[in-house]
Every structure is written in C-alpha cells, then in structure tokens.
C-alpha cells in the first residue's frame, strides 16, 4: 500500500460519500495507515518500530520456510540485528549504549548490567525490559538470530565475529534471573530464553565459540539451570543440545561438571515413559545418533544443520510424556558426550571424573550403556525394576537417587560426593567383574532359572515393542511413510524393548564370560593366596569377606558348569592356586580345626614344636610381623567353630572346582604336584565332613593316572592314610557324626578309598610299592581283592567272616587291622605336620594277626586250609 492508494480508498469510504455502515470503520483504518505512511515519508525521525518489527518477522518467515535455499548464502545482517537487540536492552535497562565496533567484553558488560543489579533494581529493570513494544522486537530479533545461526556453520561463525556471544549471554542471564521453574512456555521470558538457547546451541558447535564460551562461567550455569524448565520443553531441548556440543571441549567438560551439570541432567533420565508406543518412540529425535550422521558426511553445512533440526519444535507440546521422553534421550546423549564415551563420529575427550560419578549414581553396568548409539534401551531399564546378573535397579534406588540429586541442586553441586555415592539397597551386594554374584548364583547354574528375573515395567514395554514390530517394519519399508533417519529411528525403537529386557539366559549369564571368569579368579587370588598365605592363615579374612569368598567360589563353579570352554583359562598354576588354597585350611591344619573346637581351644595357635603351618590368631601373626596394621584391625573371621565351618565350606567348594577343572588336560597337567596330593591324603585321614572326604577321594581317583599319586602313596604314607578310611569303623570324627549314621556316611568314602587303592596298585611305576605296604598290613588275600576290585567286592569281603584257602578274615582281625592302621595314619600325619614327608615302614615290620599265627601261605593259599579242603 502507498500514499496514492490511500487517497483512492479515502475518497471511496469517506462518510460523506459512502453512507454504508461499514464505510466509517474502513475509513478510520485507511486514515491510520495513511498517517503511518506519512510519518515514514517525513524522514529525519529514524527507523520506525513497526517497520523494524515487520522486517524481522518477514526474515524469520523466510529462514523458517526456506532454510535449504538460504543455507549457501552468508547472512550479512548480524551487525544491524545485534544493534537492534543491544539498543533495546540497553535503553530499557538504563545502561549506556555501546558503540558499534566496540570490544566484545564491553558489549558483554553492557549486556549484563541489569542482571548484576541487586534486589528490586534488577527486577524492575527486567520487568521494563519485557514490557511494551520492546518485547515484540526482542522476540522477533532473537528468533531471527537462531534461525539464521543454525542454517549453516558459516552463519554461526559470522555471528561470533559480530560479537553475538556476549550479548546473548547477557540476555539469557537476565531472563533466567526472573524465570520460575513452572513458567508457561509461551510467556515472553520463556520464549526469549528458548530462542537464546537455540542460538547458543548453534554457536556451541563452532570451535571458536567454544574458546570464547570458556570465559563465560555464568553462561554455562544459566544453560544448565534451563534444564529444569520442564514446562518449557523447547527450552530444555535447546539447553541439552547446547551441552552436547559444548562437551566437545575437554576444558568445557570440566567447567560443566564444576557448574553442577550432573544433578540437572541425571534426573531427566528418569523421566522416560516406558509405555510409549513404538510409533511415538520412533518419532523421538536423536541428533547424535549414527542415522543422523549418515545424512551427509560430505557436506559440512548439511551435517551442521542436521544436528539442530529438532530445535525447531513447538513451544507448547500436547503430550508432555513424549516431551519428557525426548528430554531423557537428549540427556543420555549429553551425559555420554560429557563423559566421552560415545563412539565416532560423536566421540569427545574421555572424562574420568564424569565417568566415575555416573558409574556411582547409575551403577557401573548401566552407566557403561551410555556409550550405546541409541539410549532408549538404557532408559527403559532406568525406568523399570530389574534384577539380573548385570543390573539391579528398582524404585527405591530411583527415589534415593532423586533425593540426593535434589539436595545437590538446592545446596550446590559436589562432584566428589557423587563419585562416592552408594545405594543403601546395594550395600550388601558383591559385584565382581560387573556381575552381581548373589543374583548370578541364585538364578541357576546354566540359566534355567533365569525366567524368574524381575522385569516389571520393561516387560510391558518389550511386549508393546514386539507387537508393533511388524507395523514399524512396514512403515520403514521403501515407499512407506517413514524414510531416511526416521526409518532408522523406527527400527531402533522397535528393538529397544528386546534389548532392554534380557532373555532368560542373558539375565543370568554375564556378557563377557571369559572376563567374568578372570575377575573371579583374581578376586580369590587376592584374598586366599596373597592375604591368607595360600590358605594357611584363614583368620586374615573378616567374617563378611569369608562369606563373599564362598559366594565367589560358588559363582566360579556355576560359571564353569555353564561354560566348560572357559576351563582353558585355568591352565596355569597361578590361576589354580586359589582353588588349591581353598583346601589348605581344612587339610593343612594340625590338629584339625574341628578337633580344636571340640577340645575348647580357640583355634588360633600354632604347634611350634612340630614346626607345622597352623592357623594363628591375628594378634600372634601381627606380633611376628606377618600382618599389617589394617589386617590386624579386621574383624576376626569367627571363633573356632565358625573358623572350622568356613574351612569346611571352602574345602568342599575348592574340591568341586578342582574336580571340574581337571576335565581339561592342560589344567590337570598344571595342577598335579606332590603338595596337592599330600593335602588330599590328609583330608582322607582328618576330613571335616563326609562331603569333603568323598570329594577328596573322588579327586584322588581322577588323579591316579599320574605317577606322582602312587609315589606319594608309596613313599610318603598316602597308602596308609587311604587304608585307614577303608578299614574305618564306628563314628567319624567330624562334627555332628554319630554311630547311627556312620555306616551310611562312610560307605561312599570307603568305596572310593578301595577304588583309589586299586588304581594305585595298578600304576606301573610305583604300584608295586603301594602293594608292598598294603601287604604288611592286610592278609594276602585281601590285598589281592583290593588290587582286583571292584570296590563293592572289597567292601563285601571286609564285612564278612572268611576262612578259605585264599583268605582268612573275621571281625577280630578287622578290629586289629583298623586299630593298627589308625595309629600308623596318625603318626604319619603328625610327621607330615613337622614337614618331614618321606615315610617307610621298618624293614622287618609286618602286622601279626593272632588268627594267622602258625599259618603257612604259599602260592596264594593257606596250606593248612588247602589240605583240609583241596577241592
């Protein structure tokens, strides 16, 4: 419209010439427009506010509708645009106007002058700044800033060169100072804050801007605070994208941590809605995902623009659950970049401080998943209740975390406190190699019981994702409604539930079985081998540590049962030494721990005269310089009874592990030595329980193929120790044993002892020596029966009265042999306790049975009985 048009319309609608009722209203509108045109044509009055506002809004429309067309062209109006913002904010705040071309620091000082005023003065200045016609111009100008800035990287660089960062920092600071957390998203301060954050998000991607932002500590604090404006979702989105880009600088990572970013970002992870449909979840944007990076790797401006597509979102969201889920996705990516755990092309410098804090507040296993390209599976876990071998997470932990982070937001961030944060519900949980040992043991040895895993909310989300999988696949197909990055997001969202809610086997088995196996062995080695001197000083473990060691042993046993291929990891003496150390407390202690309990001894003394390795008290060990101060202050494992019980459990689990491990030939070769074999023979003569006795004999049976087993039996008294088990009668010495149960408990052990002796006699190298020793203690016929087997026949022969040319045996002879062998076995064990291991019967030694006096044994028969009955 121009002045001539106004003249024509003036004559047409003049009340004197047009009597229609609408004519007068039209005439007044035309008159007002004519006055505006006349004022502009008069000149000398400077730019008109309404003209400036129209120009800003027109440019906003152009850049919003045609960003791809305008992206190749650098926006040249930043000096004028910033001058508009500067003049309005300075005039309304009463600050002196800065001249064009002044230094950025001067502009920054002028821009934040009102924000620095204390009390009512600052509030009054801010209120005036956001009142009248000025607010409309500020809204249009700041919107144009972000629309031009995020179109291309060259525009962001131009805005930096024009001094835009200090001005934006001051503007944001003034708005944040008057914002409440529940501010309406359409309120003028919220809209200005949103557009300022969008502009800063664009600038944050420019390396030059990152260097300058390092000088604005308050700006980082203001950006972080905006993450709490949950009713202004567009502002939160922009703040999170800005933090993502700022995290590309190692120095800015440190500044963000010091400014308290974690207490604001981590709570956003707990806002994800696991009940979102797959379609809605697929619509959420991930600017730092591989799909967005694949849009255009050749065109830097296109890649720059793709990172900020989500910034052009509505100020008001109809679905706040969806908006908060979007915040959770962005917060996860911001934390991943802040910790430096994302992969290329979004990798940032590693930040150990952030990683340590996140591992504490999210648990180690969940924090490690921040490195995943799509954080949706992690967010489903964080907003569900899970108990798997890798993850324990529930509502009480979320509540505890929320309270701790709220306290930090209120009283100031403390990074050290976050790094040392622990959950009360995990206080008693032992985690080794990233696996919760208790859960791993409870959920079955091979994963069969893993179906009991608790996946409450995640289960529903998984079902929904699975049910909608076909629909998403159809929508993602070529020609479907989804394409490009949306297709990749839809496919990822459809699989998110399945990833977040592990299968039955995955809920039990660790993700890295080999790594878990090594971690378990390392844990045992540090405690049983290094601290307890290869098991001989069991009291060095506190009671809680002893319980943990038993749990770890059970976990290692379960793991090797489920993954036999891991046995090869144990094919070295150092790897096997913790399992060998398990049997040392029960085998090497002399007298046995359970006998000390029965005799009322404390179980914390050594027999100095015999020179054996016993179990000393912590005070004695400390006085001898064998324990450092920290160990001497540890809680004692228990009294003698508790110590004996722990030793029995260790021996039982250690024998189970060794029996499983020697299925591997390399492990068996590394395991067999005289020391281990002696300990197995010692367990035969002083077993702490029936299961340990059977386990020791079973392991001996499997090791009889080694010549060393027969050597220890023949030349170190092992055969006599085994024979004492075979001839045992009456109750056993271990706690709780009585005569009523002796036969039932001893039968398997006696059969195993007979089997072991039979195999030792058959050993070609040292078998004859073993047979010779048995011949000095048993009638010849029984020695032949033991050599020939089977064990059942040997037990049958020992349990009946016989008098035939081949063998003579009765109860009296059995009692005599049992008493003699028991005495010899006790003497041999005592000699071994003095570390003198070689043993041999006297040259003329032979057990003389009363029933065999005068009997002549020739050619395998008793001559008298043969003559009595030659047939």
């Amino acid at each position: 419209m121009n002045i001539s048009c106004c003249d024509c319309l003036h004559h047409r609608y003049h009340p004197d010439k047009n009597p229609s009722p609408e004519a007068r209203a039209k005439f007044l509108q035309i008159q007002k427009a004519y006055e505006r045109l006349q004022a502009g044509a008069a000149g000398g009055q400077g730019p008109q506010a309404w003209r400036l506002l129209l120009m800003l809004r027109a440019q906003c429309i152009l850049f919003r509708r045609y960003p791809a067309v305008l992206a190749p062209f650098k926006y040249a109006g930043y000096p004028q645009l910033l001058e508009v913002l500067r003049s309005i904010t300075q005039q309304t705040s009463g600050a002196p106007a800065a001249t064009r071309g002044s230094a950025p620091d001067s502009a920054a000082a002028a821009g934040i002058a009102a924000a620095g005023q204390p009390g009512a003065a600052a509030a009054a200045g801010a209120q005036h700044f956001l009142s009248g016609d000025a607010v409309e111009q500020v809204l249009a100008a700041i919107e144009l800033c972000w629309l031009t800035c995020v179109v291309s990287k060259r525009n962001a660089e131009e805005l930096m060169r024009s001094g835009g960062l200090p001005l934006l920092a001051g503007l944001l600071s003034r708005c944040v100072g008057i914002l409440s957390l529940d501010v309406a998203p359409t309120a003028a301060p919220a809209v200005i804050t949103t557009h300022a954050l969008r502009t800063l998000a664009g600038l944050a991607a420019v390396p030059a801007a990152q260097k300058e932002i390092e000088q604005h500590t308050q700006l980082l604090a203001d950006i972080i605070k905006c993450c709490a404006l949950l009713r202004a979702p567009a502002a939160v989105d922009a703040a999170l994208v800005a933090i993502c880009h700022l995290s590309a600088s190692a120095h800015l990572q440190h500044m963000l941590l010091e400014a308290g970013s974690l207490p604001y970002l981590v709570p956003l992870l707990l806002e994800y809605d696991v009940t979102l449909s797959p379609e809605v979840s697929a619509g959420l944007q991930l600017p730092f995902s591989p799909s967005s990076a694949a849009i255009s790797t050749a065109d830097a401006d296109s890649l720059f623009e793709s990172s900020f597509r989500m910034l052009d979102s509505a100020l008001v969201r109809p679905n706040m659950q969806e908006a908060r889920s979007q915040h959770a996705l962005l917060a996860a990516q911001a934390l991943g970049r802040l910790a430096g755990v994302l992969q290329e092309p979004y990798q940032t410098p590693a930040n150990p401080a952030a990683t340590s804090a996140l591992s504490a507040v999210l648990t180690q296993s969940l924090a490690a998943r921040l490195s995943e390209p799509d954080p949706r599976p992690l967010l489903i876990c964080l907003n569900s209740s899970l108990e798997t071998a890798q993850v324990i997470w529930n509502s009480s932990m979320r509540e505890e975390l929320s309270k701790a982070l709220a306290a930090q937001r209120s009283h100031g961030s403390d990074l050290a406190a976050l790094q040392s944060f622990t959950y009360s519900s995990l206080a008693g949980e032992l985690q080794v190699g990233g696996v919760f040992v208790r859960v791993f043991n409870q959920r079955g040895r091979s994963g069969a019981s893993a179906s009991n895993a608790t996946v409450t909310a995640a289960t529903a989300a998984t079902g929904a994702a699975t049910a909608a999988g076909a629909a998403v696949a159809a929508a993602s197909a070529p020609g479907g409604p989804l394409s490009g990055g949306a297709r990749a997001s839809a496919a990822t969202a459809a699989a998110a539930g399945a990833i977040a809610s592990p299968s039955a086997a995955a809920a039990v088995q660790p993700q890295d079985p080999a790594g878990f196996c090594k971690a378990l062995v390392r844990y045992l080695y540090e405690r049983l081998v290094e601290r307890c001197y290869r098991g001989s000083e069991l009291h060095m473990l506190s009671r809680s540590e002893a319980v943990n060691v038993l749990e770890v042993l059970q976990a290692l046993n379960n793991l090797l049962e489920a993954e036999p291929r891991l046995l090869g990891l144990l094919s070295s003496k150092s790897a096997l030494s913790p399992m060998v150390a398990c049997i040392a407390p029960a085998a090497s202690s002399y007298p046995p721990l359970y006998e000390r309990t029965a005799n009322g001894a404390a179980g914390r003394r050594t027999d100095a005269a015999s020179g054996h390795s016993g179990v000393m008290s912590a005070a004695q060990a400390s006085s001898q310089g064998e324990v450092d101060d920290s160990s001497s202050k540890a809680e004692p494992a228990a009294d003698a009874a508790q110590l004996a019980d722990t030793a029995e459990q260790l021996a039982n689990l250690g024998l189970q592990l060794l029996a499983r491990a020697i299925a591997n030939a390399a492990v068996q070769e590394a395991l067999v030595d005289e020391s281990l074999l002696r300990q197995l023979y010692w367990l035969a003569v002083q077993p702490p329980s029936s299961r340990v006795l059977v386990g020791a004999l079973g392991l001996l049976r499997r090791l009889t193929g080694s010549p060393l087993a027969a050597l220890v039996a023949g030349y170190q008294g092992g055969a006599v120790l085994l024979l004492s088990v075979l001839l045992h009668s009456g109750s056993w010495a271990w706690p709780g044993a009585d005569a009523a149960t002796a036969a039932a408990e001893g039968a398997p052990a006696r059969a195993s002892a007979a089997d072991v002796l039979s195999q030792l006699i058959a050993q070609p190298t040292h078998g004859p020596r073993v047979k010779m020793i048995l011949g000095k203690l048993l009638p010849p016929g029984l020695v032949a029966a033991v050599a020939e087997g089977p064990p059942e026949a040997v037990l049958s022969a020992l349990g009946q009265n016989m008098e035939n040319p081949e063998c003579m045996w009765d109860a009296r002879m059995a009692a005599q042999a049992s008493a003699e062998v028991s005495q010899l076995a006790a003497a041999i064990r005592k000699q071994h306790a003095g570390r003198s291991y070689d043993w041999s019967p006297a040259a003329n030694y032979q057990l003389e049975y009363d029933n065999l006096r005068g009997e002549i044994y020739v050619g395998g028969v008793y001559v008298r009985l043969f003559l009595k009955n030659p047939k």
Side-chain angles (χ1 to χ4, degrees), residues 338-359:
L338 190 61
V341 296
L342 287 186
Q343 304 301 317
E344 292 290 353
Y346 298 115
Q347 189 173 18
T348 55
N351 192 314
T355 303
S356 173
L358 290 172
S359 297

Side-chain angles (χ1 to χ4, degrees), residues 236-322:
V236 179
D237 287 345
L240 292 172
V241 172
I243 292 174
C244 285
H245 282 283
L246 292 172
S247 299
S249 164
H251 185 60
L252 286 174
Q253 285 179 348
H254 175 73
M255 294 180 67
L256 287 168
L257 290 176
E258 292 296 325
S261 57
L262 294 185
Y264 283 87
L265 294 179
V266 173
L268 297 178
L269 302 178
L270 308 181
E271 298 290 337
Y272 188 82
D273 187 359
V274 298
T275 64
L276 288 178
S277 65
E279 294 81 2
V280 174
S281 180
L284 302 178
Q285 300 184 55
L286 287 171
F288 297 91
S289 67
S291 59
S292 63
I295 294 175
S296 175
T297 56
D299 189 349
D301 281 344
S302 298
L303 182 60
F304 180 83
E305 177 189 353
S306 69
S307 301
F308 303 99
R309 288 185 175 182
M310 65 163 304
L311 294 177
D312 191 13
S313 56
L315 296 175
V316 180
R317 309 285 175 84
N319 188 337
M320 287 305 296
Q321 287 81 5
E322 180 180 347

Side-chain angles (χ1 to χ4, degrees), residues 36 47-59 80-81 83-85 87-88 136-138 140-141 144:
R36 285 287 186 96
Q48 300 297 309
W50 66 272
R51 283 179 176 271
L52 184 60
L53 186 60
L54 284 177
M55 179 183 67
L56 292 174
R57 288 178 175 173
Q59 292 187 56
Q80 294 79 12
L81 179 60
E83 184 64 29
V84 170
L85 281 174
S87 61
I88 294 175
E136 295 295 332
Q137 293 185 26
V138 174
L144 183 58

Side-chain angles (χ1 to χ4, degrees), residues 1-376:
M1 178 180 288
N2 53 33
I3 295 178
S4 60
C5 292
C6 286
D7 290 337
C8 295
L9 294 174
H10 184 273
H11 289 292
R12 181 183 304 175
Y13 291 101
H14 197 282
D16 295 341
K17 296 184 179 182
N18 192 337
S20 63
E22 296 83 2
R24 182 172 181 82
K26 288 284 188 181
F27 180 79
L28 293 176
Q29 293 179 359
I30 295 168
Q31 183 68 20
K32 187 174 181 180
Y34 179 78
E35 292 174 355
R36 285 287 186 96
L37 291 174
Q38 283 292 96
Q45 302 178 18
Q48 300 297 309
W50 66 272
R51 283 179 176 271
L52 184 60
L53 186 60
L54 284 177
M55 179 183 67
L56 292 174
R57 288 178 175 173
Q59 292 187 56
C60 287
I61 292 173
L62 289 174
F63 276 92
R64 190 180 293 277
R65 291 184 179 178
Y66 309 106
V69 176
L70 297 173
F73 306 99
K74 182 172 67 175
Y75 182 71
Y78 282 126
Q80 294 79 12
L81 179 60
L82 296 177
E83 184 64 29
V84 170
L85 281 174
R86 187 179 294 111
S87 61
I88 294 175
T89 56
Q90 290 176 349
Q91 290 171 8
T92 55
S93 64
T99 59
R100 186 179 306 176
S102 60
D105 289 341
S106 300
I112 63 173
Q117 298 176 11
Q127 187 176 12
H128 183 64
F129 163 66
L130 296 174
S131 62
D133 295 336
V135 67
E136 295 295 332
Q137 293 185 26
V138 174
L139 287 170
I142 194 66
E143 182 180 5
L144 183 58
C145 271
W146 88 263
L147 286 172
T148 56
C149 178
V150 301
V151 162
S152 68
K153 188 175 181 180
R154 59 178 61 88
N155 281 353
E157 294 170 343
E158 180 64 21
L159 179 58
M160 276 293 306
R161 286 191 291 268
S162 301
L165 180 60
L167 183 61
L168 290 168
L171 185 62
L172 179 64
S173 180
R174 296 181 64 184
C175 291
V176 170
I178 62 171
L179 285 178
S180 61
L181 295 182
D182 60 346
V183 64
T186 54
V191 176
I192 294 175
T193 297
T194 300
H195 292 335
L197 288 169
R198 288 170 168 173
T199 310
L200 291 168
L203 291 177
V206 179
Q210 294 173 6
K211 290 291 185 182
E212 187 170 347
I213 290 175
E214 293 177 1
Q215 310 303 320
H216 296 269
T217 305
Q218 184 59 41
L219 174 60
L220 297 178
D222 291 335
I223 293 174
I224 292 170
K225 290 178 182 177
C226 290
C227 294
L229 302 175
L230 296 183
R231 287 194 60 198
V236 179
D237 287 345
L240 292 172
V241 172
I243 292 174
C244 285
H245 282 283
L246 292 172
S247 299
S249 164
H251 185 60
L252 286 174
Q253 285 179 348
H254 175 73
M255 294 180 67
L256 287 168
L257 290 176
E258 292 296 325
S261 57
L262 294 185
Y264 283 87
L265 294 179
V266 173
L268 297 178
L269 302 178
L270 308 181
E271 298 290 337
Y272 188 82
D273 187 359
V274 298
T275 64
L276 288 178
S277 65
E279 294 81 2
V280 174
S281 180
L284 302 178
Q285 300 184 55
L286 287 171
F288 297 91
S289 67
S291 59
S292 63
I295 294 175
S296 175
T297 56
D299 189 349
D301 281 344
S302 298
L303 182 60
F304 180 83
E305 177 189 353
S306 69
S307 301
F308 303 99
R309 288 185 175 182
M310 65 163 304
L311 294 177
D312 191 13
S313 56
L315 296 175
V316 180
R317 309 285 175 84
N319 188 337
M320 287 305 296
Q321 287 81 5
E322 180 180 347
R324 291 180 180 179
S325 297
Q326 179 67 72
H327 297 160
L329 286 173
L330 287 174
Q333 292 196 311
L335 289 171
R337 285 177 63 84
L338 190 61
V341 296
L342 287 186
Q343 304 301 317
E344 292 290 353
Y346 298 115
Q347 189 173 18
T348 55
N351 192 314
T355 303
S356 173
L358 290 172
S359 297
V361 299
L362 297 179
T363 72
Q364 184 178 359
S365 54
L366 289 177
R369 300 184 66 176
L370 286 170
S371 62
E372 296 176 357
D374 185 1
R376 272 173 280 224

Side-chain angles (χ1 to χ4, degrees), residues 601-648:
R604 302 185 182 97
R605 65 177 183 268
T606 47
D607 187 348
S610 62
H612 67 81
S613 175
V615 180
M616 298 182 296
S617 67
Q620 289 173 324
S622 178
S623 65
Q624 296 178 20
E626 299 182 8
V627 187
D628 61 18
D629 292 340
S630 60
S631 299
S632 63
K633 295 177 182 178
E635 176 190 3
D639 56 11
Q642 179 66 38
L643 199 62
D645 181 66
T646 301
E648 190 276 336

Side-chain angles (χ1 to χ4, degrees), residues 817-828:
S818 178
E820 179 71 12
V821 171
S822 296
Q823 291 180 5
L824 283 176
I828 292 171

